[in-house]
Amino acid sequence: MGRFLLRRLAQALLVLVLIACTNFLIVNAAPGDMVDVMAGESGAADAAYLAALREKYSLDKPLPVRLGRYLGALATLDLGHSFRHNESVVALILSRFPATLLLMFSALGIALVGGVVLGVAAARRPGSLRDSVISVVALLGYSTPLFWFGLMLTVLMSVKLGLLPSSGMSTIGEDFGTLGNAVDVGKHLLMPAVTLALFYISTYTRLMRASMLEISGMDFARTAKAKGLNERQVAYRHVLRNAILPLVSLFGVQLGAVLGGSVVVEVVFGWPGLGTLAFDALFQRDYNLLMGILFLSSVLVVLVNLGVDLLYSVLDPRIEVGR
Amino acid sequence: MIERLGFWPRFARSPTALFGLVILAAIVVLAIVGPFLYAADPWAMATTPFQWPGDDPTHPLGSDNAGRDVLAGLIHGARVSLTIGVVAASAAVFIGVVVGAVAGYFRGVVDDLLMRFTEVFQTIPHFLLVIVLVALLQPSTPIICGAIAIVSWPPVARLVRGQFLTLRQRAFVESCVVIGMSAPRIIFTQILPNCIAPIIVTGSIMVASAILIEAGLSFLGLGDPNSMSWGAMIGFGRQSLRTAWYLAAIPGLAIQLTVLAISFVSEGLNDALNPRLG
């Protein structure tokens, strides 16, 4: 176990270094640098001032030297400074991170429950009308652009029915007490979370169905049936528990996609998380901040996948994780 | 020997696959001949703003906040979406095939290096990377296709590598090595034709996801500013969502229908090309 852990950690570290190098290359491949942006903003600037700025931000050094410095800074979690917000990038990201985490985990929770329920329902009667309807609905969910679904949900729930707030995370300037505030956030959270969940409900449903069908053909499931348990008991007590495992690994694989999806969903609902931060950074040309978000999101994906691998080996000791 | 059905009978066995194919064909025809049948400039102010669908028979799907014809935008958008979907997916398949084939054929250190490289692109959140690439390198159709291809190739590479690792051991490959065939020739003329089926299936799903990524990009305002795409139309429509929600609804339905049709077709392809699963 210890050796596996070390190997896996080394691999994850290597991937992180490579990601950092990729980030660096992308920024340097773009025409113009940070100083050009700053000069453009202020209208004009003389060459000596620009040169001084370049020296200040070490932009005058050769590429390998700058790459070395960049990696060194990343190693100490220094992602640079956002000259737009006049704050360190790490502090900015951390301040927005909880909102995104709340949105992501609510969405994944909804997707997991919905996916398991629909997947099991479909797998109990393969080939039936119910199965076909569920699989078409799942494909439909997969085919729907999330931001569009969010907009249509807003039209229905906020504009037509007036049930839910259409944007933000809480009602501005109101204090409903601890419980009241939680309910208020919950109301704001519901639509974005359901929107973000839509895509993943589809994938979870399909995976759950396939996994249920595979497991119910196994010897132990046949034994359970043979000893006289009814179908319901076999499905829920024996098959379901084993079939749910692949969903755990899908969680890790999909985290990156959820983070990406949360950008459009946050923009649609004005949710004050990393997605809107990235969106604003994009149009304010705040590249330090943008690269910081990209890098930290990748770090998060690497860490969660590491965790999922370990969790997997705990949940199912038969799995040889070392590969 | 069990007689195997041909490709068409197996594909046509599935009603959803046929349905998808018909819809997809209709959208392709619309994209190709639409501009000739319904000659309207998607950017021109054609009529009074905010005409609801059905208000004016000469503009069947109504007009947006600037009086632009919605149907004209829809037709133009079909061209944009399909072009970007097909070009981006083809580029992704090309990169994936080359990386996967080289890794699976040469194995060892080459394989290790290429797989770490693949892992990097699987780890970075795709949509974020596309946004960053397009924003830094200017939003134009070639850049958008390239950015989508850069985030989409890893699954193809893994698939092709897996196929190559097993096929590499087969006698027919070894005999090619023995008669002195060059590595590129073995890769492209001997092994690759044997794994074309799963590549086609994965590639077809990629067209669908590329269309969705492009829609998201242009919704955020990062599309090619010179082309009227479905995502951009939703973005414009969002500004008047409260009063004229049809402006966002119509192009969204078009995206949904197109992606659904492609998904049906690729499921049908999968069932027809992988008879083991059928």
Side-chain angles (χ1 to χ4, degrees):
Chain A
M1 191 69 189
R3 254 193 80 206
F4 157 69
L5 192 67
L6 271 181
R7 220 185 91 119
R8 196 67 188 71
L9 270 178
Q11 260 181 15
L13 203 66
L14 180 66
V15 168
L16 279 182
V17 172
L18 288 175
I19 289 175
C21 296
T22 313
N23 274 6
F24 181 80
L25 282 180
I26 292 171
V27 173
N28 281 284
D33 59 20
M34 192 172 81
V35 172
D36 287 327
V37 176
M38 291 165 94
E41 291 286 311
S42 53
D46 66 293
Y49 178 63
L50 289 188
L53 271 181
R54 289 217 163 82
E55 204 184 324
K56 184 180 166 200
Y57 293 111
S58 304
L59 289 171
D60 54 341
K61 303 280 187 303
L63 214 59
V65 175
R66 276 156 54 202
L67 176 62
R69 288 189 180 202
Y70 179 72
L71 292 180
L74 283 187
T76 59
L77 266 189
D78 172 11
L79 294 176
H81 192 78
S82 156
F83 58 91
R84 204 49 83 162
H85 297 261
N86 203 19
E87 222 181 320
S88 88
V89 168
V90 173
L92 269 172
I93 292 177
L94 286 182
S95 72
R96 294 293 198 95
F97 200 44
T100 293
L101 275 187
L102 178 65
L103 175 62
M104 264 172 34
F105 282 102
S106 314
L108 282 171
I110 295 172
L112 201 64
V113 173
V116 169
V117 168
L118 289 174
V120 171
R124 292 278 310 275
R125 301 263 178 284
S128 67
L129 181 66
R130 183 170 72 184
D131 182 28
S132 319
V133 170
I134 290 177
S135 74
V136 169
V137 169
L139 262 183
L140 206 60
Y142 167 81
S143 315
T144 307
L146 291 186
F147 59 91
W148 179 75
F149 182 73
L151 289 175
M152 293 301 111
L153 211 56
T154 312
V155 169
L156 181 68
M157 302 303 279
S158 309
V159 180
K160 299 284 170 204
L161 301 175
L163 288 177
L164 292 169
S166 64
S167 85
M169 190 174 169
S170 55
T171 313
I172 295 163
E174 295 276 350
D175 192 11
F176 307 104
T178 315
L179 192 65
N181 283 342
V183 172
D184 186 43
V185 171
K187 272 185 176 173
H188 283 84
L189 175 64
L190 194 58
M191 278 205 293
V194 168
T195 304
L196 190 53
L198 182 74
F199 180 86
Y200 308 99
I201 289 185
S202 308
T203 40
Y204 284 150
T205 301
R206 290 168 66 111
L207 185 68
M208 193 65 200
R209 178 182 179 275
S211 172
M212 282 289 283
L213 287 179
E214 193 194 327
I215 304 274
S216 54
M218 286 187 171
D219 287 347
F220 77 90
R222 207 181 314 139
T223 308
K225 257 175 253 169
K227 77 176 185 185
L229 296 182
N230 66 35
E231 237 180 278
R232 181 175 291 267
Q233 278 173 315
V234 177
Y236 291 105
R237 292 186 56 96
H238 295 257
V239 179
L240 179 62
R241 288 186 183 188
N242 290 285
I244 223 159
L245 257 181
L247 267 67
V248 175
S249 67
L250 189 66
F251 173 79
V253 175
Q254 284 201 322
L255 188 77
V258 180
L259 274 166
S262 74
V263 177
V264 277
V265 173
E266 284 183 16
V267 169
V268 165
F269 290 101
W271 187 259
L274 279 184
T276 38
L277 190 67
F279 183 71
D280 293 340
L282 192 66
F283 286 96
Q284 295 167 342
R285 302 225 275 165
D286 193 344
Y287 296 143
N288 266 350
L289 182 54
L290 202 55
M291 297 322 285
I293 294 173
L294 187 63
F295 180 71
L296 277 193
S297 313
S298 312
V299 172
L300 188 70
V301 175
V302 171
L303 289 181
V304 168
N305 275 302
L306 203 61
V308 164
D309 275 7
L310 294 180
L311 185 68
Y312 217 77
S313 66
V314 173
L315 289 180
D316 189 349
R318 286 169 308 176
I319 290 167
E320 184 71 41
V321 221
R323 226 181 342 131
Chain B
M1 194 180 146
I2 304 163
E3 200 183 334
R4 272 179 56 177
L5 286 167
F7 170 77
W8 270 107
R10 270 185 285 140
F11 183 84
R13 218 166 36 185
S14 151
T16 50
L18 272 185
F19 172 77
L21 193 65
V22 169
I23 300 287
L24 189 61
I27 297 168
V28 171
V29 169
L30 180 81
I32 295 172
V33 304
F36 301 106
L37 294 180
Y38 188 80
D41 180 355
W43 297 100
M45 177 155 180
T47 178
T48 36
F50 295 121
Q51 297 258 356
W52 278 69
D55 276 3
D56 177 358
T58 54
H59 304 284
L61 291 180
S63 63
D64 71 0
N65 60 337
R68 290 173 293 206
D69 188 281
V70 174
L71 181 58
L74 218 54
I75 291 171
H76 197 86
R79 286 194 158 190
V80 176
S81 285
L82 290 177
T83 312
I84 291 187
V86 170
V87 173
S90 314
V93 166
F94 178 77
I95 304 173
V97 164
V98 171
V99 172
V102 170
Y105 184 83
F106 292 103
R107 296 172 288 193
V109 187
V110 179
D111 181 33
D112 261 357
L113 277 174
L114 285 176
M115 279 304 109
R116 284 296 91 74
F117 184 63
T118 311
E119 220 171 290
V120 167
F121 283 92
Q122 276 194 312
T123 307
I124 303 180
H126 292 175
F127 194 64
L128 272 176
L129 182 58
V130 173
I131 289 180
V132 168
L133 285 173
V134 172
L136 288 175
L137 303 173
Q138 301 312 318
S140 67
T141 305
I143 297 270
I144 292 171
C145 290
I148 296 176
I150 282 176
V151 301
S152 307
W153 62 269
V156 183
R158 288 188 167 258
L159 174 89
V160 173
R161 171 182 175 264
Q163 297 273 330
F164 267 65
L165 283 178
T166 47
L167 289 171
R168 179 78 171 82
Q169 316 282 353
R170 298 277 195 83
F172 79 93
V173 176
E174 270 162 20
S175 53
C176 291
V177 176
V178 170
I179 63 167
M181 225 183 243
S182 71
R185 203 170 151 206
I186 299 177
I187 290 176
F188 290 106
T189 67
Q190 304 299 316
I191 307 183
L192 196 58
N194 284 294
C195 43
I196 239 38
I199 296 176
I200 289 177
V201 172
T202 317
S204 65
I205 301 167
M206 242 160 227
V207 175
S209 59
I211 289 177
L212 284 174
I213 295 177
E214 191 279 332
L217 271 180
S218 45
F219 170 70
L220 290 179
L222 284 173
D224 188 330
N226 299 315
S227 55
M228 177 69 85
S229 77
W230 291 338
M233 288 172 77
I234 300 176
F236 297 142
R238 189 190 169 202
Q239 293 151 9
S240 41
L241 194 63
R242 281 177 189 275
T243 50
W245 55 266
Y246 66 95
L247 286 178
I250 292 171
L253 284 174
I255 299 173
Q256 199 179 31
L257 194 64
T258 310
V259 175
L260 189 67
I262 296 173
S263 308
F264 279 152
V265 170
S266 69
E267 270 202 344
L269 284 176
N270 190 34
D271 294 346
L273 295 171
N274 295 325
R276 284 163 297 169
L277 300 171

